[in-house]
Amino acid sequence: MDGAFADYAERFDVFGEDTPVAPDGPPSGDRWSTWDQSTPTERGPRPYPEWVVTELGAVDTELGVLKTGKEADVYLLDRSVPGTDRGTLLAAKRYRDPKHRMFHRDSGYLEGRRDKESRVNRAVAKRSAFGREAIAGMWANAEFTALCRMYEAGAAVPYPVQIVGTELLMEFVGTADGTAAPRLAQTRPDPTELADLWEQLRHSLSVLARDGYAHGDLSAYNLLVHEGRLVVIDVPQIVDVIGNPRGREFLERDVRNVGGWFTARGLSADLVDGLAADLVHDAGLDR
């Protein structure tokens, strides 16, 4: 209850002499869990993993910054139920205020994306304040939708827990002490590990292409390696390769960009060329 009503309740004994007035804030942490603020369609795929904390009495505690970027910052969040051992670490991706947001090459990525309302499309085209806010929503929802689809299809992505406005909460990829998994660019795999990571990448990109999409900005910095598992991250600019007239270009560029990292470490260039051709076929762009 708000402060005014709390004062009123105490003054006129609304709840009785022995009834305590409940405080607004949580007993600890920074805020109450936002789980109930998301609609069913704004939550991750069912069945929810056991580690997802859905209790309304849970508390969110911010533990620090995992990554800063042009469009959004990612924070480490602990969501736990006070007084129990029920809790989990989450990555909270928060898109910046429209005045400070710098969407990277957004005009190309937004081709083929349209809102149902024409006024929104006009605002996006003009990049008005409302249009920039709409773009933020488009990017956040595109990333959440993409993560859900990729997760359900079997691609290696963080489980998308929920979306609230332009805040996306997802599985934290790292250790229990809050140490984030390294990016692929930070690793030094031996030949056997390199080949295995490439095969994992092939699988995830093929899953995405068969669904009609390309990552859109893939590189060794948008891939995590956790205990030998390659995880695809940062997909707000996911491209509909069917609806976007430059779809094939984005798809082939993804392979070329990340393939350069692999070939520089000994992978055959023929494998990179072969993957590009396979993905074009998977997406149906060679017909």
Side-chain angles (χ1 to χ4, degrees):
M1 68 182 71
D2 62 34
F5 184 73
D7 292 341
Y8 175 90
E10 181 178 5
R11 179 180 177 185
F12 293 100
D13 196 24
V14 171
F15 300 107
E17 293 183 0
D18 298 324
T19 304
V21 176
D24 288 336
S28 60
D30 297 306
R31 68 185 187 190
W32 291 108
S33 165
T34 58
W35 179 256
D36 63 336
Q37 296 179 30
S38 296
T39 66
T41 59
E42 295 172 330
R43 295 171 182 166
R46 287 178 176 271
Y48 302 136
E50 292 185 0
W51 56 264
V52 174
V53 176
T54 62
E55 291 88 338
L56 298 185
V59 171
D60 292 344
T61 304
E62 194 171 298
L63 302 179
V65 178
L66 292 174
K67 176 193 174 186
T68 59
K70 294 183 177 69
E71 297 88 21
D73 297 323
V74 183
Y75 297 83
L76 181 63
L77 201 73
D78 175 82
R79 175 167 288 178
S80 302
V81 180
T84 74
D85 59 359
R86 178 86 168 131
T88 190
L89 292 177
L90 299 173
K93 187 169 187 176
R94 299 170 185 162
Y95 285 86
R96 297 187 179 198
D97 179 272
K99 294 181 180 179
H100 303 99
R101 194 177 292 122
M102 296 171 56
F103 285 102
H104 182 52
R105 302 191 305 273
D106 64 349
S107 59
Y109 293 112
L110 289 172
E111 289 186 59
R113 291 189 201 173
R114 293 182 64 80
D115 191 87
K116 295 180 180 179
E117 295 189 34
S118 59
R119 70 184 184 93
V120 175
N121 294 322
R122 289 195 299 270
V124 167
K126 293 179 179 179
R127 298 300 192 272
S128 64
F130 174 69
R132 292 195 301 270
E133 189 66 35
I135 290 173
M138 285 181 179
W139 282 51
N141 280 285
E143 180 162 27
F144 180 73
T145 300
L147 287 174
C148 288
R149 295 182 71 161
M150 293 174 71
Y151 179 85
E152 290 184 297
V157 295
Y159 176 79
V161 175
Q162 67 176 117
I163 185 171
V164 184
T166 55
E167 179 184 71
L168 175 61
L169 296 176
M170 68 194 95
E171 174 186 1
F172 168 67
V173 182
T175 59
D177 65 358
T179 301
R183 298 175 186 277
L184 177 63
Q186 298 172 307
T187 65
R188 297 292 181 268
D190 63 33
T192 300
E193 294 168 334
L194 187 75
D196 180 62
L197 291 172
W198 178 254
E199 287 305 312
Q200 292 184 55
L201 180 63
R202 281 181 58 90
H203 171 75
S204 289
L205 294 185
S206 180
V207 167
L208 193 57
R210 287 196 299 269
D211 211 21
Y213 291 94
H215 184 284
D217 194 28
L218 191 63
S219 74
Y221 292 92
N222 288 333
L223 297 165
L224 301 180
V225 181
H226 181 55
E227 298 178 348
R229 179 171 178 255
L230 190 74
V231 182
V232 181
I233 61 169
D234 291 341
V235 293
Q237 69 292 307
I238 188 170
V239 176
D240 179 344
V241 296
I242 307 302
N244 191 310
R246 297 171 54 200
R248 179 168 181 162
E249 175 188 336
F250 279 110
L251 189 154
E252 293 177 335
R253 191 180 69 186
D254 276 351
V255 176
R256 184 170 62 251
N257 286 348
V258 74
W261 186 90
F262 277 90
T263 56
R265 284 151 186 82
L267 190 77
S268 169
D270 291 339
L271 291 178
V272 176
D273 294 338
L275 176 56
D278 288 345
L279 295 183
V280 168
H281 176 75
D282 289 341
L285 296 176
D286 58 350
R287 300 185 180 94

